[in-house]
Amino acid sequence: MVDSTRWALIGATTIAREWMINAIRETGGEIVSVMSSDAARGKAFADEFGIPRSTTDLDEALRDIDAVYISTTNERHFAECMAAARARKHVLCEKPLATSYEDAAAMVSACRDAGVVMATNHHLRNAATHRAMQEAVAQGRIGTPLAARVVHAGTLPIQMLGWRLHTKGAGAGALLDLLVHDTDLLRFILGQEPLKVVTVAQNGGLAIEGIEDAAMSLIQFSGNIIAQVHDSFTTRAQRTSCEVHGTTGSLVAINNMAQGPAGTVTLRDAEGERELPLVQEDYYVRGCRAFHAAIRGEGRPAVTGEDGLKSLATALAARKAAQTGQFEPVRQSSEG
Ligand code: NDP
């Protein structure tokens, strides 16, 4: 019998509260400590969720545990991940992995050198909708994929109307927050790599001046596939969607980009139109199950550190493209 994985939560956060505490526990993990920069908030968080230890000290949080879940604001991920790798703890890190490519690449290398599992918490690969789309594409059910379109646009709930809209140094803006998810999703469904991107960013008055609260991007993928992506915090009544169009058919997912299990996928081809059968499951539970298995040496995480580096590289290229007005190349991992 394998002992359960002992976890530290690095960050007393909304995502931990709403999804990850349950996901870690549901898949056999034991949460033994939480780190917050505010002692009182950390203690209240620990008490609320029955976590034995709370601390403001990272080294103390890392003591006597096996794995960390890092969900602080994005500029803090680098130092926290590097400390965890030095202490040889497995790392499940929130997206974007960091606010610079160099930091994220160093995080991936440090975990690899330490021999620990590293995963990025892109949840959308775990959705029944997207797994069905990935399978249909791989089975050739739409022929050769030519184009994709993602709408990841909606509004932010009140608890998210903070640093995302006003703290540049924390990686605010729709591109680092949402385009990283879309890129990872398209890489997963298409099995292709983003090569270059051009972006038009918008400030619709929700974020402070100088930060985009919406953007549209065109991404050229390998395999001669073109993709169009709409990311937004500002559209109240829009439905999310993901479409992939191939030479013989199309896949259309609707209401599929949320955090909770939802959405449908329709396959259209010469035989007509039908919904693909789906067995829905909590995306974060599924991700944590794969992470725990990877720690036991069974398979790999749903989304690795390298995957998180690629999604970040695309969002950073998009942010640059929004300034230059030109296509920008997506940095490839082999470029160092
Ligand atoms: P929060 O805004 O809830 O927390 C971010 C930081 O703000 C925390 O680390 C915390 O500091 C501080 N903080 C939290 N609550 C308060 C408060 N009441 N007063 C003052 N400071 C506070 O972040 P999110 O949960 O929205 O996002 C955290 C990370 O998770 C980000 O990297 C984000 O991109 C990612 N994320 C991922 C999602 C996914 O589906 N994969 C979905 C949502 C977010 P301290 O920890 O020091 O107490």
Side-chain angles (χ1 to χ4, degrees), residues 10-16 35-38 41 69 71-74 76-77 94-96 121-123 159-160 163-164 177 181 259 284:
I10 309 300
T13 59
T14 309
I15 174 92
M35 193 200 90
S36 167
S37 53
D38 181 300
R41 196 152 39 76
Y69 168 55
S71 69
T72 49
T73 45
N74 306 317
R76 288 170 53 183
H77 297 174
E94 268 308 337
K95 46 50 64 171
N121 207 30
H122 283 306
H123 59 303
Q159 66 273 25
M160 291 192 184
W163 56 267
R164 276 179 184 76
D177 202 51
H181 280 311
Q259 288 181 279
Y284 300 95

Side-chain angles (χ1 to χ4, degrees), residues 34-332:
V34 57
M35 193 200 90
S36 167
S37 53
D38 181 300
R41 196 152 39 76
K43 169 85 169 67
F45 193 94
D47 289 348
E48 181 181 348
F49 291 102
I51 299 169
R53 297 187 338 233
S54 69
T55 178
T56 57
D57 181 70
L58 183 55
D59 291 332
E60 166 65 15
L62 294 174
R63 190 170 53 79
D64 194 23
I65 52 125
D66 308 301
V68 292
Y69 168 55
I70 299 174
S71 69
T72 49
T73 45
N74 306 317
E75 83 289 5
R76 288 170 53 183
H77 297 174
F78 170 69
E80 292 161 349
C81 176
M82 297 303 274
R86 274 195 302 277
R88 297 192 183 278
K89 310 299 178 188
H90 304 290
V91 175
L92 172 56
C93 187
E94 268 308 337
K95 46 50 64 171
L97 282 186
T99 52
S100 79
Y101 183 91
E102 290 74 14
D103 282 359
M107 291 158 66
V108 171
S109 299
C111 288
R112 192 187 303 123
D113 293 348
V116 296
V117 174
M118 180 180 181
T120 311
N121 207 30
H122 283 306
H123 59 303
L124 294 171
R125 284 189 191 215
N126 299 315
T129 44
H130 304 139
R131 288 186 290 113
M133 292 176 86
Q134 187 270 339
E135 199 176 280
V137 169
Q139 290 170 344
R141 294 179 74 184
I142 59 166
T144 304
L146 295 170
R149 190 151 53 194
V150 175
V151 176
H152 199 170
T155 45
L156 285 173
I158 192 155
Q159 66 273 25
M160 291 192 184
L161 294 171
W163 56 267
R164 276 179 184 76
L165 302 173
H166 56 61
T167 313
K168 276 189 188 171
L175 293 170
L176 282 190
D177 202 51
L178 301 177
L179 185 66
V180 285
H181 280 311
D182 312 330
T183 305
D184 186 69
L185 178 60
L186 290 175
R187 288 184 63 240
F188 172 65
I189 293 174
L190 301 171
Q192 300 289 345
E193 295 298 336
L195 303 176
K196 62 180 182 177
V197 56
V198 66
T199 295
V200 179
Q202 179 186 56
N203 181 300
L206 186 63
I208 63 161
E209 206 181 312
I211 293 176
E212 81 287 349
D213 48 32
M216 286 201 185
S217 304
L218 287 178
I219 308 174
Q220 172 73 61
F221 275 81
S222 59
N224 192 29
I225 301 172
I226 50 178
Q228 181 189 32
V229 178
H230 180 197
D231 294 301
S232 169
F233 300 142
T234 51
T235 49
R236 286 211 169 272
Q238 199 164 5
R239 286 195 304 190
T240 62
S241 59
C242 176
E243 304 174 7
V244 182
H245 304 284
T247 48
T248 62
S250 289
L251 291 159
V252 178
I254 299 287
N255 289 332
N256 56 308
M257 303 294 285
Q259 288 181 279
T264 56
V265 182
T266 303
L267 170 63
R268 284 191 207 134
D269 59 15
E271 288 168 30
E273 185 171 306
R274 60 266 184 216
E275 265 190 34
L276 298 184
L278 305 174
V279 180
Q280 303 274 12
E281 186 189 13
D282 184 306
Y283 308 161
Y284 300 95
V285 167
R286 195 179 168 85
C288 280
R289 190 179 301 120
F291 188 80
H292 279 134
I295 290 175
R296 294 194 303 270
E298 298 162 16
R300 40 158 269 168
V303 187
T304 62
E306 284 85 357
D307 291 322
L309 183 59
K310 288 180 182 180
S311 63
L312 174 64
T314 309
L316 291 172
R319 208 160 67 169
K320 185 168 178 199
Q323 287 164 356
T324 63
Q326 297 178 347
F327 267 105
E328 294 294 338
V330 175
R331 200 160 160 179
Q332 304 298 317

